[in-house]
Amino acid sequence: MIRLLVSPTRYQQTIQLSLWLKDYPEDQWDILSMDALTTTIQDIVQEAYTFTLLGKQRLLLIQNAYFFTSARKPSIDQEQDFDVFEQLFRQTLDLPHLIFLLEEDVDGKNKWVKLIKQSNDVTLLPVLKKQEWAPVLEKAIQERKIPWGSGATWALTERLYPDLDRAINELDKLQLLGETITEKLIQRWVPLTLESNVFELSNAILKG
């Protein structure tokens, strides 16, 4: 089982992974996270086929699967044995179990994207629209048990959209205030995104 999960944010990636990992109980599976920017394909494949001392199967979560894009070629690319990678897609066994993770757009003309689409599972998560932030933030707020005032969710959205990961991080900081979070507190403690700052700068210039 080989999957590719493409997500615009780490938070969305984590939510989707939590759903998939329900199929991998800890008493039967050893879940290992690896980084494609520091570990070669051949080492990843070897690790995927290795059983633990307790006889568990392995599920590998491969972060930064850059080879599904055409945007960059990191230095490790010169060390890759892509023949091993291609063989991985041509085998018909149930093993290995790999989930490749990416937080940037894939290239539809990319050789590996075409291969994984032919025989495996590709999930492309969309960028959430502004109005879709509210239930996501409210769930995160409830999990952190933050006292939350009316209008604060929209204020946070207006201030940080589309950077959902930063919004979640800001909730952790706001939790430390120990008081009900209001629109005024968000304006005081949550810095604007770079895009918002540029927008305000442009308005200020136009106004002289």
Side-chain angles (χ1 to χ4, degrees):
M1 192 282 298
I2 304 174
R3 279 176 163 170
L4 170 62
L5 173 60
V6 182
S7 171
T9 66
R10 181 59 61 93
Y11 182 80
Q12 288 171 266
Q13 180 190 105
T14 301
I15 296 299
Q16 184 62 50
L17 274 179
S18 67
L19 296 175
W20 287 352
L21 293 181
K22 292 179 181 179
D23 295 331
Y24 294 91
E26 292 183 1
D27 60 332
Q28 300 174 29
W29 291 86
D30 181 32
I31 300 173
L32 185 63
S33 182
M34 306 182 81
D35 191 336
L37 294 177
T38 57
T39 309
T40 63
I41 283 293
Q42 52 269 33
D43 288 339
I44 288 171
V45 172
Q46 181 178 357
E47 198 69 48
Y49 280 110
T50 302
F51 281 73
T52 68
L53 294 175
L54 298 176
K56 294 182 181 180
Q57 299 182 59
R58 277 196 168 154
L59 167 66
L60 264 59
L61 308 179
I62 314 302
Q63 295 282 353
N64 300 311
Y66 74 91
F67 26 75
F68 290 106
T69 78
S70 298
R72 53 181 171 147
K73 295 292 182 184
S75 57
I76 196 173
D77 196 70
Q78 301 174 10
E79 305 171 25
Q80 304 282 24
D81 185 349
F82 284 112
D83 288 339
V84 171
F85 197 33
E86 188 164 359
Q87 292 170 13
L88 186 67
F89 292 104
R90 304 198 184 284
Q91 58 88 23
T92 57
L93 301 175
D94 180 52
L95 296 177
H97 284 244
L98 300 165
I99 299 178
F100 292 100
L101 304 167
L102 197 60
E103 292 178 49
E104 56 189 275
D105 293 336
V106 295
D107 180 1
K109 297 180 181 179
N110 180 289
K111 174 181 180 179
W112 310 116
V113 173
K114 290 180 179 179
L115 278 175
I116 200 169
K117 281 184 175 180
Q118 287 175 5
S119 57
N120 296 279
D121 185 351
V122 178
T123 300
L124 306 175
L125 299 181
V127 176
L128 294 180
K129 297 178 181 178
K130 238 182 209 185
Q131 58 268 32
E132 295 176 309
W133 268 37
V136 175
L137 292 178
E138 286 168 7
K139 179 182 178 183
I141 291 164
Q142 290 173 3
E143 290 173 347
R144 290 161 177 75
K145 299 180 180 179
I146 306 174
W148 203 256
S150 175
T153 299
W154 183 246
L156 188 64
T157 301
E158 282 289 290
R159 212 157 180 82
L160 297 181
Y161 185 84
D163 195 343
L164 181 59
D165 285 336
R166 188 181 156 205
I168 299 299
N169 289 336
E170 290 295 338
L171 288 180
D172 292 329
K173 297 176 184 177
L174 291 170
Q175 184 181 22
L176 300 176
L177 294 178
E179 57 183 297
T180 299
I181 304 302
T182 62
E183 184 176 348
K184 288 185 177 180
L185 279 178
I186 287 175
Q187 292 171 349
R188 178 180 178 185
W189 293 105
V190 178
L192 288 166
T193 61
L194 178 60
E195 292 81 2
S196 297
N197 276 324
V198 170
F199 182 74
E200 289 204 348
L201 177 61
S202 300
N203 284 341
I205 292 174
L206 289 173
K207 293 177 181 178

